[in-house]
Amino acid sequence: MTDSPHLKCDLLIKGGRVIDPANGIDDFLDVAISGHVISAVARDIPESSAARVAHVPSWLVTPGLVDLHAHFFGYFGAVFPDETCLPTGVTTALDAGGSGHLTFDTFNREVIQRSAVRVFALLNIAGEGMVGDPEQDVEGMDVSAAAAKIEQRADIIVGLKVAHFRGPGWQPLDHAVEAARATGTFVMVDQTPIASRPMDQMMLEHMRPGDIVTHCYADSKPMVGASGQVKSYFREARERGIHFDVGHGAGSFSWKIASTAFDQGFPPDTISTDLHRSSILASNATMPETMSKMLECGMDLADVIRASTREPALKLGHPELGTLSQGAVADVTVLEMQEGQFGLTDNGTTGQRVRQASRRLIAQMTICGGTVKWDLSGVSKEDWSNTPAPYEVPEEE
């Protein structure tokens, strides 16, 4: 928290409950933004110090949400970041393997450079990424070429992705781990277990500490066994440093598995959406909705915010994100906690089921780099009654 006796700022977010896990803040405070950065987080900053004031009483003010699993390229259901992320409070997102070393430059040129959302990438170990059906092409999984592309664009590419391989072997995962080791990065894995590639061997023998298992509550890779208990090797994997990410998706989040896991002390390390067309339409798999589901499972609000901001920012290797520290980039999300009766939908191999909840988060405002990109209720805007008279063109004589 900062003092601000003579502060002058461009935008003042006033009266909200500020939750900033990076700084241990959970209090009703004001947030001042000057240019592209946070200039103060303090109590009772005068409105006269700001060029513009947004009143957000009782709403939650957090660092910009960071989605650690989204799809913006390659995949047939890929979406463009701005239209899908900014209205849901996401200011930073990680594309999960849409491009490989052969297609990353196209992805960068056509999507990343055109997006207001800050987009990072996991490089698919398959050379073409998810374009077509190349994730089955073991010969195209070139460790040296992948490592070279990561080193060339280390400013954007933060790791590797292995997914959807239908063959019997470990080659894709082992190749990705080798490239990650060479570049000091991590691997995110989405592999449904099969007889020749069981989940316990994958997590305990082939993955390394710091690598990520996404879709952790999917019934296709069930964490919970027939006994109703979290399988012991999931706990062993967590103990050895494997990271567990929600990756909600269109078929990768089961209420039954998630609730059982929570009851037995197995929450996720990070909350993410696996954002794409089908996941949005099937289950409204946005960050606020997925966060709402974690709340319903019993996760504390502060931990939900941490797993949606600070933890994924650290996983990206960018500690300057996911925080409201003075001088940090002004990525800010304002969330409303709605109370009522809401049906929240899961999905998976057995279909979709709804669970009734009394709370639901929605994004009211998204500020990216100091610029208001989304304002659902117009709290940062001037009242319509102050509309000036329209410019009148003089009539021709």
Side-chain angles (χ1 to χ4, degrees):
M1 194 162 65
T2 54
D3 296 324
S4 56
H6 306 293
L7 179 72
K8 296 294 182 182
C9 65
D10 298 306
L11 175 64
L12 179 62
I13 305 171
K14 194 162 184 64
R17 178 184 173 185
V18 176
I19 302 180
D20 179 14
N23 290 298
I25 295 175
D26 186 346
D27 200 355
F28 284 88
L29 302 167
D30 302 333
V31 177
I33 295 172
S34 299
H36 302 298
V37 302
I38 304 291
S39 51
V41 178
R43 204 178 308 277
D44 299 325
I45 299 175
E47 293 188 26
S48 59
S49 67
R52 185 167 42 150
V53 179
H55 291 277
V56 296
S58 77
W59 290 348
L60 307 175
V61 181
T62 77
L65 303 182
V66 181
D67 189 347
L68 204 62
H69 187 156
H71 289 285
F72 306 130
F73 181 81
Y75 179 49
F76 73 89
V79 294
F80 193 77
D82 290 2
E83 297 93 319
T84 49
C85 292
L86 294 172
T88 59
V90 174
T91 57
T92 300
L94 179 63
D95 181 83
S99 65
H101 68 268
L102 296 173
T103 54
F104 171 78
D105 291 343
T106 300
F107 172 42
N108 185 30
R109 181 176 63 253
E110 296 183 353
V111 178
I112 297 176
Q113 293 181 14
R114 297 181 179 182
S115 176
V117 175
R118 188 176 294 100
V119 176
F120 293 97
L122 292 177
L123 198 72
N124 202 307
I125 190 58
E128 292 187 277
M130 296 179 72
V131 178
D133 192 29
E135 286 178 299
Q136 314 310 312
D137 180 14
V138 176
E139 292 184 2
M141 299 176 184
D142 189 319
V143 173
S144 297
K149 181 57 67 174
I150 292 172
E151 291 174 346
Q152 181 190 51
R153 294 312 308 256
D155 58 322
I156 301 174
I157 307 173
V158 298
L160 293 109
K161 175 76 180 295
V162 175
H164 314 127
F165 183 62
R166 297 188 293 271
W170 295 100
Q171 300 98 316
L173 178 53
D174 290 344
H175 287 345
V177 167
E178 186 179 349
R181 185 178 291 114
T183 54
T185 60
F186 65 88
V187 180
M188 177 184 281
V189 182
D190 167 17
Q191 282 291 177
T192 299
I194 57 177
S196 64
R197 195 172 56 242
M199 201 79 183
D200 57 343
Q201 288 184 30
M202 182 180 75
M203 295 189 298
L204 300 179
E205 299 176 19
H206 291 264
M207 296 176 69
R208 305 161 306 149
D211 290 341
I212 300 175
V213 170
T214 192
H215 306 315
C216 68
Y217 301 128
D219 60 7
S220 59
K221 43 184 77 64
M223 177 185 295
V224 177
S227 65
Q229 299 296 308
V230 172
K231 296 173 183 176
S232 60
Y233 55 80
F234 277 85
R235 298 190 186 279
E236 292 176 43
R238 170 161 276 177
E239 289 173 2
R240 69 182 292 261
I242 300 300
H243 178 116
F244 290 90
D245 173 67
V246 174
H248 187 295
S252 300
F253 176 77
S254 163
W255 277 122
K256 181 72 74 174
I257 290 177
S259 295
T260 302
F262 268 85
D263 290 345
Q264 296 177 25
F266 208 104
D269 295 298
T270 51
I271 297 170
S272 71
T273 64
D274 183 20
L275 190 73
H276 53 81
R277 292 173 193 159
S278 297
S279 68
I280 294 171
L281 295 172
S283 305
N284 187 24
T286 63
M287 279 296 288
E289 188 81 346
T290 306
M291 294 161 70
S292 299
K293 293 174 184 180
M294 296 301 100
L295 287 171
E296 183 62 23
C297 285
M299 199 170 186
D300 291 339
L301 177 60
D303 290 335
V304 167
I305 301 301
R306 179 185 298 277
S308 305
T309 59
R310 189 58 176 169
E311 289 303 320
L314 293 176
K315 196 63 190 171
L316 291 172
H318 285 271
E320 76 279 9
L321 303 175
T323 176
L324 297 177
S325 297
Q326 186 177 22
V329 61
D331 285 1
V332 183
T333 296
V334 178
L335 298 164
E336 180 186 3
M337 181 76 78
Q338 295 186 333
E339 296 185 358
Q341 195 70 19
F342 308 104
L344 308 181
T345 302
D346 74 354
N347 51 50
T349 59
T350 64
Q352 297 181 339
R353 290 173 177 82
V354 68
R355 178 170 176 171
Q356 296 302 311
S358 61
R359 298 180 293 175
R360 169 179 266 164
L361 290 167
I362 65 166
Q364 281 285 353
M365 188 183 232
T366 308
I367 300 166
C368 193
T371 300
V372 176
K373 294 292 188 179
W374 173 256
D375 186 353
L376 181 62
S377 297
V379 294
S380 69
K381 299 177 172 64
E382 192 174 5
D383 188 78
W384 74 276
S385 61
N386 296 323
T387 305
Y391 176 73
E392 295 182 1
V393 179
E395 295 182 3
E396 293 182 5
E397 296 182 359

